[in-house]
Amino acid sequence: MMTVLLLLLAAGEDFETCGERDGIAIASRKVPGSGFVEYRFTLETRGDVEAMCSAAFGNGKLEPGEPHVNLREVIKESTDARVTYEQIAPPMISPRDYVVSRTRTHPAPGTCRVDFVSADDAPVRPGLVRLKHLQGSFLFQALGGGRVRLEHRIHMDPGGALAPFVVEPSRERLGAEWLRRLAPRSG
């Protein structure tokens, strides 16, 4: 029943339901001017808003098991904002690099949000393709009774000469994997 409710919620805002993976509702919508869709992943689980939000914001260091991230270097940092240079090696495409800015906010009581957006602020290093665009967020909302609603949105254009049909299945799988990493295993 809960999965059906999450699928219905994910279908709002012009999102079209894509299905579900490991209890995570997946939806997508077209982005004007881009051949790549924006994904939205939602999950309800037990947990603590601040602990999950802190995990999403990270500490600026590469965490063990981060999917396809090879390098992260902090460029600038404050309590709730960080800029990093990162390198990724997704499956089936050339390694990419990008500079990304993250901010953590508390838009309402019982909620925490991490927004991220890429910038083209660093020279491209040899052997890497510059990621053209990356933008998204993680939102954590307390529901009461120890339950939390997690939402992850992401739009990415990997750059280079890649057709969306080549990378969208991997992007969908990876987005769900990132959200699952933030949810307690007992959820």
Side-chain angles (χ1 to χ4, degrees):
M1 177 70 171
M2 187 53 63
T3 300
V4 173
L5 177 60
L6 288 172
L7 287 170
L8 290 173
L9 287 171
E13 298 180 55
D14 298 326
F15 279 89
E16 295 181 17
T17 299
C18 298
E20 176 253 317
R21 178 186 297 268
D22 193 23
I24 297 170
I26 304 171
S28 68
R29 68 177 170 188
K30 292 181 180 180
V31 174
S34 176
F36 298 90
V37 299
E38 176 185 8
Y39 281 105
R40 183 166 86 180
F41 305 90
T42 54
L43 173 67
E44 186 181 310
T45 188
R46 293 201 154 293
D48 178 76
V49 166
E50 289 305 318
M52 286 187 270
C53 191
S54 289
F57 185 67
N59 61 14
K61 296 180 177 134
L62 188 59
E63 300 286 331
E66 282 190 61
H68 312 296
V69 181
N70 291 345
L71 175 73
R72 178 174 296 126
E73 297 172 348
V74 174
I75 297 171
K76 188 165 91 173
E77 185 171 35
S78 66
T79 302
D80 290 314
R82 181 181 305 116
V83 177
T84 56
Y85 168 80
E86 303 192 14
Q87 293 178 2
I88 58 172
M92 299 174 25
I93 65 172
S94 301
R96 293 335 198 219
D97 76 341
Y98 55 94
V99 173
V100 65
S101 174
R102 286 177 184 77
T103 56
R104 176 175 42 193
T105 59
H106 294 83
T111 66
C112 186
R113 182 180 176 102
V114 175
D115 290 288
F116 54 91
V117 64
S118 64
D120 199 7
D121 289 356
V124 176
R125 297 183 185 182
L128 300 169
V129 175
R130 176 56 43 95
L131 194 78
K132 186 173 178 181
H133 177 76
L134 173 68
Q135 185 170 358
S137 63
F138 291 96
L139 178 63
F140 306 90
Q141 299 172 298
L143 300 175
R147 306 286 300 168
V148 177
R149 181 178 185 273
L150 290 71
E151 177 185 281
H152 172 39
R153 291 187 186 203
I154 187 164
H155 175 253
M156 180 179 77
D157 182 333
L162 294 171
F165 76 89
V166 173
V167 295
E168 292 297 20
S170 291
R171 287 188 54 230
E172 183 179 308
R173 186 181 69 253
L174 210 56
E177 190 175 329
W178 274 105
L179 190 62
R180 178 52 65 197
R181 285 176 51 85
L182 299 173
R185 291 290 171 208
S186 63

